[in-house]
Amino acid sequence: MASADSGKKPQEKEQNVPSTTTEEDFSKDNYGIMPLIQSKEKIDRELVSVRDINEKLAKQTIWVRGRIHTSRGKGKQCFLVIRHQSATIQAIICVNENVSKPMVKFVTTISKESVVDIEGEVTLTPSPIESCTQKDVELQVKKVFVVSSAEPRLPLLIEDAMRPDDPVIDGIQAPHANQETRLDNRVIDLRTPANQAIYRVEAGVCKLFRDTLDAKGFVEIHTPKIISAASEGGANVFQVSYFKSNAYLAQSPQFYKQMAIAADFGKVYTIGAVFRAEDSNTHRHLTEFVGLDLEMAFNYHYHEVVDTIGDLFTQIFKGLAERFTTEIAIINKQFPCEPFEYVEPALRLEYKDGLALLAEAGVQMGSEDDLTTENERILGRIVKTKYHTDFYILDKYPLAVRPFYTMPDPNNPKYSNSYDMFIRGEEILSGAQRIHDAQLLLQRVEHHKVDTKQIKSYIDAFRYGCPPHAGGGIGLERVLMLYLGLGNVRKTSMFPRDPKRVTP
Amino acid sequence: MASADSGKKPQEKEQNVPSTTTEEDFSKDNYGIMPLIQSKEKIDRELVSVRDINEKLAKQTIWVRGRIHTSRGKGKQCFLVIRHQSATIQAIICVNENVSKPMVKFVTTISKESVVDIEGEVTLTPSPIESCTQKDVELQVKKVFVVSSAEPRLPLLIEDAMRPDDPVIDGIQAPHANQETRLDNRVIDLRTPANQAIYRVEAGVCKLFRDTLDAKGFVEIHTPKIISAASEGGANVFQVSYFKSNAYLAQSPQFYKQMAIAADFGKVYTIGAVFRAEDSNTHRHLTEFVGLDLEMAFNYHYHEVVDTIGDLFTQIFKGLAERFTTEIAIINKQFPCEPFEYVEPALRLEYKDGLALLAEAGVQMGSEDDLTTENERILGRIVKTKYHTDFYILDKYPLAVRPFYTMPDPNNPKYSNSYDMFIRGEEILSGAQRIHDAQLLLQRVEHHKVDTKQIKSYIDAFRYGCPPHAGGGIGLERVLMLYLGLGNVRKTSMFPRDPKRVTP
């Protein structure tokens, strides 16, 4: 790489750079716009990550790459805050025997969000810098090169994106970015410390999901998203033009997970996109989201599976609390929320008992009716007060409100071997023992008036022997939204899709 | 569960069961068709997995669940092979003081592939049973209950599905299942030991990919599959009806990975479905496959990324050899293949040197032409002979044959900072340094006559500062097909999709 180091004139290419003065600029080799990094040559230079700069590096001269987070010129000096991911450090440049006036002036003109390489000496700060994550050290700048310039007018200011949804400073509504502006400018929005943390926690949920299930002997599988027929009765499915015919986008990997069980994989999971063509514009609906799905053959009772899933959530909650303390604190700073509570083993209530709790609280509903979103929330609050848990399992739903493949309860035909799981009163998993017998399945298909031709290969999967099994599907974005109390599923989908948004 | 154990009459429900004789059957409580396991009650019974039955369990009476793999009645006795996943064990039932004639007769009538629970005593075999994985032990059957009956006529026989693609036994072509029959009856086909192993190895590739990258500080992300415009110029994209408008299925997560880099995530990976509406009916094309994609900001040279990817493959190859010896042996038994060779660090050749090797072998082509599939194969063989590796990296492709976002080579405008990677002469990864500067990107977009409106948010992502970065996308099914020498990508996709197949 022909960097400005190697004798080239600085300040080439950039528009908003002050013209050099007629005097010889003794610092001219120490600053400027770096030519585009095009991998021209290999440079043997270590870049220290902002988060790793601490007292141990005091008095050392290091190279750092980061963005100009803020910049404040003050006569012969300029205070910068350099940001890399969630970490920030103060950098100071002052006119002195090595730093010319034009150099300081150049630095003040670098636009916010530009990526820069800085060489500087690490010094201890006289008092902690509260506005930075690296409070006890700062950089005395010796060289500055712009790696990638940001256009001077940002469509979204990071400091606005970093404020809470409804920020009040000194009793006055502070400027902040609304959800649409954030999403329209997602690449900038995602740079906030909270967003940097949210997607690391999200990756953590997936990792904990997989690690927990791997340890229990599950096999990861991949299921097709393009399917020949609407899997669950035809509603809410996206249609795809498939060569000279049509196909659909899978609303869930469930049929395929079950086929994997019929194919002897025993315990399977899959993480992947699922699609819902629902015209629901709410805080918790997306048209495309990430499903964490599992399916498991059991010996004699589907509670073997319910217990496995309950324990899975316990492991996820434990793992998040252990491994992501810093990230969760960063998120809570921008989006405050009540601490998350859970009990171990997970609380399991029967549907009818849930209805009894609601009735006690004055909420009446039919014993075979489905819970409304509002009643789910009320029940969540009751459960939280009574059992001190934000996570619980509601078991034995009425058969009438569940899909055709749900195993009826053998002890009471009104109910079924099915369950939902909730975080902070909102559903994050739906599951059941599935019917593994082709004859019974056909009866239920007929009862539900589902077209058997559409699901022939699914029904056939149970004709050649299949162990009893149960499973469930978890909505990743919902888990994270509710666990972190973020209030909108668009905050936990990196590039969310809803009926009105397919960009960026 | 009201099992046949609990005093119920056996032989209820099943059609192909012999009528009970008029004599009292002293074994009648020890066999039969179990009522459908509907989770009626919890049974405290341990089921031992077939693979775990060995000499240490000799003389113990255990319960086992498995399928009837083969069944051979011989007068007063019946030899069964019980299969669970890849493991098989022999089970023998003979008429004696505890086993009645009707019981043996019942056992002979259980259809192949039915799932059964067997109680039996583990005994040592006089000589190894070569046809089973558990060679030194067998089961003396005391009780047998059918958990799930298979229909007596199987559309695909496991023993046929277990044969090589072109099996010859004693000089005669043996019956075997062709690819279409296998895929039409995928749930049965997937039960073969080779398929049980293939998808475990596939899960292993994903795990090794993630674990290696997690250790290097990568963040897992999820990118949308539904996109507003065809990402790479419009060809080969599936169209989706999206409410009152249209959308498309992403051909790759690349734009979103890059946006994550522009959004400061530094190093990211994602595993997910990618879609290609190509009407290619070949051994290596699918319309939907699993992409293992990564993208990484680098300091000064894209070879930092190439080295990371090279090492990633080394870790995958090492991990597979270490952890999946058994599975690979099982697969090789049905699908023999040359042992896989690789060198460490991975071999990296420049495109022009690859062309020189081809020229030496008499293959002439223009220096700016793309490699044909055939020439890739020839080059693979040359490289294998010369460098003893089945994996290598071909770097610095002609700019003319790469997409618009590819960074041109600063040292020679004919070339680009791009690379493909190969296993056994077939491409399994394509990647490049991407253009991280909006102005240069616009120039290249114009040169390629791509509609800028269609990719506005992608271009905008580079207006507000972006570090230099490179990445690549790996086709999971191809990696596995080539590593295992399976010859058809449909063997490594659990439910493959091609222009002619969207079922099961």
Side-chain angles (χ1 to χ4, degrees), chain A residues 164-450:
Chain A
D165 282 341
D166 202 6
V168 175
I169 298 172
D170 296 335
I172 297 161
Q173 178 81 26
H176 67 286
N178 70 34
Q179 189 72 57
E180 292 307 300
T181 309
R182 287 175 188 279
L183 294 179
D184 287 342
N185 300 284
R186 191 59 161 161
V187 166
I188 298 176
D189 183 43
L190 286 171
R191 293 178 190 167
T192 62
N195 273 332
Q196 289 288 314
I198 285 170
Y199 294 95
R200 284 175 169 80
V201 178
E202 192 157 276
V205 172
C206 292
K207 185 169 168 53
L208 287 159
F209 175 85
R210 286 187 298 251
D211 288 353
T212 305
L213 296 180
D214 284 348
K216 291 176 196 272
F218 278 72
V219 180
E220 183 183 19
I221 62 169
H222 301 280
T223 65
K225 311 307 170 212
I226 296 177
I227 56 173
S228 61
S231 39
E232 302 189 15
N236 304 334
V237 201
F238 288 114
Q239 187 175 298
V240 183
S241 301
Y242 198 79
F243 302 100
K244 284 169 184 156
S245 178
N246 287 317
Y248 303 89
L249 292 181
Q251 292 167 290
S252 121
Q254 194 199 312
F255 285 11
Y256 292 93
K257 287 186 302 177
Q258 287 192 255
M259 287 195 242
I261 299 299
D264 288 347
F265 284 89
K267 301 171 180 183
V268 298
Y269 68 81
T270 186
I271 296 185
V274 292
F275 306 91
R276 303 279 161 94
E278 253 180 281
D279 198 1
S280 299
N281 296 279
T282 77
H283 76 287
R284 64 192 200 125
H285 285 90
L286 293 170
T287 51
E288 177 183 342
F289 61 92
V290 178
L292 309 181
D293 274 87
L294 71 161
E295 200 72 25
M296 174 183 156
F298 62 79
N299 294 345
Y300 299 106
H301 201 291
Y302 77 99
H303 280 177
E304 297 165 33
V305 180
V306 176
D307 291 345
T308 300
I309 302 176
D311 179 60
L312 168 63
F313 276 102
T314 301
Q315 298 311 321
I316 290 174
F317 300 146
K318 275 190 185 172
L320 292 181
E322 276 165 20
R323 302 182 201 172
F324 292 94
T325 326
T326 314
E327 285 80 2
I328 292 169
I330 289 171
I331 298 162
N332 287 343
K333 207 176 152 190
Q334 182 170 357
F335 303 109
C337 117
E338 268 183 52
F340 184 78
E341 287 188 308
Y342 66 98
V343 292
E344 190 184 353
L347 174 68
R348 190 173 68 223
L349 292 177
E350 290 207 1
Y351 194 82
K352 62 175 165 44
D353 300 326
L355 263 45
L357 288 173
L358 280 171
E360 273 176 42
V363 180
Q364 297 297 339
M365 51 178 279
S367 66
E368 290 184 71
D369 292 348
D370 206 354
L371 282 168
T372 61
T373 308
E374 183 50 25
N375 286 350
E376 284 178 351
R377 274 216 204 91
I378 297 170
L379 184 55
R381 282 197 295 271
I382 296 170
V383 167
K384 164 102 170 168
T385 309
K386 189 163 174 170
Y387 298 99
H388 305 286
T389 181
D390 285 305
F391 172 78
Y392 77 102
I393 302 166
L394 199 60
D395 191 20
K396 297 239 160 271
Y397 268 66
L399 183 61
V401 303
R402 306 298 275 200
F404 69 87
Y405 46 70
T406 309
M407 183 65 86
D409 180 345
N411 300 313
N412 185 336
K414 254 176 64 175
Y415 294 109
S416 65
N417 294 348
S418 69
Y419 38 85
D420 276 9
M421 304 194 186
F422 296 87
I423 292 182
R424 300 193 202 258
E426 293 192 42
E427 183 246 309
I428 46 110
L429 173 141
S430 197
Q433 177 179 355
R434 328 293 187 179
I435 295 171
H436 62 283
D437 178 88
Q439 294 315 312
L440 179 56
L441 189 59
L442 279 169
Q443 282 172 32
R444 298 297 304 163
V445 163
E446 205 167 297
H447 177 86
H448 279 259
K449 301 189 173 56
V450 176

Side-chain angles (χ1 to χ4, degrees), chain A residues 92-111:
Chain A
I92 302 165
I93 183 161
C94 319
V95 174
N96 61 30
E97 66 276 21
N98 298 311
V99 172
S100 66
K101 269 192 210 173
M103 178 167 171
V104 174
K105 194 160 183 200
F106 170 78
V107 170
T108 62
T109 63
I110 303 172
S111 51

Side-chain angles (χ1 to χ4, degrees), chain B residues 227-238 248-252 254-255 275-277 402-405 441 444-456 458-459:
Chain B
I227 56 173
S228 60
S231 39
E232 301 189 15
N236 304 334
V237 201
F238 288 114
Y248 302 90
L249 291 182
Q251 291 167 292
S252 123
Q254 193 200 311
F255 285 11
F275 306 92
R276 302 280 161 93
R402 306 298 275 201
F404 69 87
Y405 45 72
L441 190 58
R444 298 297 304 164
V445 162
E446 205 166 297
H447 177 86
H448 279 259
K449 300 189 173 54
V450 176
D451 183 358
T452 49
K453 267 175 290 172
Q454 300 263 311
I455 52 170
K456 182 175 181 303
Y458 172 68
I459 296 170

Side-chain angles (χ1 to χ4, degrees), chain A residues 38-39 42 45 67 117 148 151 196 225-226 242 263-264 287-288 300 417 433 463 466 497-498, chain B residues 38-39 45 67 117 148 151 196 225-226 242 263-264 287-288 300 417 433 463 466 497-498:
Chain A
Q38 215 174 334
S39 311
K42 295 186 183 182
R45 176 193 292 165
R67 291 187 188 274
D117 277 3
S148 175
E151 290 187 2
Q196 289 288 314
K225 311 307 170 212
I226 296 177
Y242 198 79
D264 288 347
T287 51
E288 177 183 342
Y300 299 106
N417 294 348
Q433 177 179 355
R463 294 189 191 279
C466 181
R497 295 296 180 250
D498 65 31
Chain B
Q38 216 175 334
S39 311
R45 176 195 292 166
R67 292 187 188 273
D117 277 3
S148 176
E151 291 187 1
Q196 289 289 314
K225 312 306 170 212
I226 296 177
Y242 198 80
D264 288 346
T287 51
E288 177 183 342
Y300 300 106
N417 294 349
Q433 177 178 354
R463 293 190 191 279
C466 181
R497 295 296 181 248
D498 65 32

